[in-house]
Amino acid sequence: FSTHRGWRGAQVVRCGAGFLAMTRRPRMSAVRRFLLRNWPAWVVIVVGCAVIWPVPLGTMPMSQDHTVHLARAWMYGETLASGHVSTWSSYWYFGFPLGELYPMLGDLAVAIVRASTFGKLSWPFCYALVFTVGYLVQGLALLRVARAIASTACARPDRA
């Protein structure tokens, strides 16, 4: 504890300025703090949706590759509905082992979305939703990696 008047005066000024700053600034709501803290993620989401527009509305992306993946998702959904995880499908060519040779996560995700709506949503709409989520998750994952690399470089500039 110091009895020096200059020190005590500076302390009073500092406390008074802090009190005035607290009373002048309105408290932010939790939602506003969340939005401001995560603005880069919102930018990624908005830009990602703009790039693949109108797919986020449930419109099927139009290219040959997407229609093939939609057909595979439909075939896999029918296979799951029949109680099997993999089967021989004769829909294409002379047949092929559905669920064996190609990664099934995308097809499974489309089938789960379709099954969770009890068939109320169409297959193209379910595919568009899964495609949108997958596209945005990739951008958000890259944002997370960039944040991790930047925080590491800032924390240890000698190793950047």
Side-chain angles (χ1 to χ4, degrees):
F1 184 73
S2 174
T3 58
H4 189 266
R5 287 184 183 213
W7 167 253
R8 196 175 278 175
Q11 192 175 20
V12 168
V13 168
R14 212 173 333 151
C15 289
F19 177 75
L20 287 175
M22 285 183 358
T23 57
R24 288 183 189 163
R25 186 176 1 163
R27 295 194 70 169
M28 282 196 291
S29 69
V31 173
R32 186 170 180 186
R33 277 194 310 264
F34 175 78
L35 292 175
L36 289 175
R37 185 177 51 231
N38 295 312
W39 70 267
W42 295 112
V43 169
V44 167
I45 290 170
V46 168
V47 170
C49 286
V51 167
I52 61 172
W53 194 262
V55 177
L57 298 177
T59 303
M60 176 74 185
M62 289 299 167
S63 77
Q64 185 172 354
D65 193 42
H66 290 293
T67 55
V68 169
H69 288 291
L70 175 63
R72 289 183 47 81
W74 173 79
M75 286 187 276
Y76 196 64
E78 295 297 313
T79 301
L80 290 176
S82 69
H84 300 284
V85 178
S86 65
T87 187
W88 183 265
S89 176
S90 58
Y91 283 112
W92 283 340
Y93 312 114
F94 296 107
F96 69 101
L98 180 65
E100 295 291 329
L101 301 175
Y102 196 80
M104 300 306 299
L105 183 59
D107 301 338
L108 181 63
V110 174
I112 287 172
V113 169
R114 169 90 171 164
S116 66
T117 62
F118 301 105
K120 297 290 183 190
L121 296 179
S122 67
W123 283 100
F125 191 88
C126 295
Y127 181 86
L129 291 179
V130 170
F131 179 79
T132 300
V133 169
Y135 194 81
L136 295 178
V137 164
Q138 291 176 37
L140 294 172
L142 287 174
L143 177 64
R144 178 66 184 112
V145 168
R147 282 182 176 172
I149 291 172
S151 67
T152 303
C154 292
R156 305 190 90 173
D158 59 326
R159 296 192 181 190

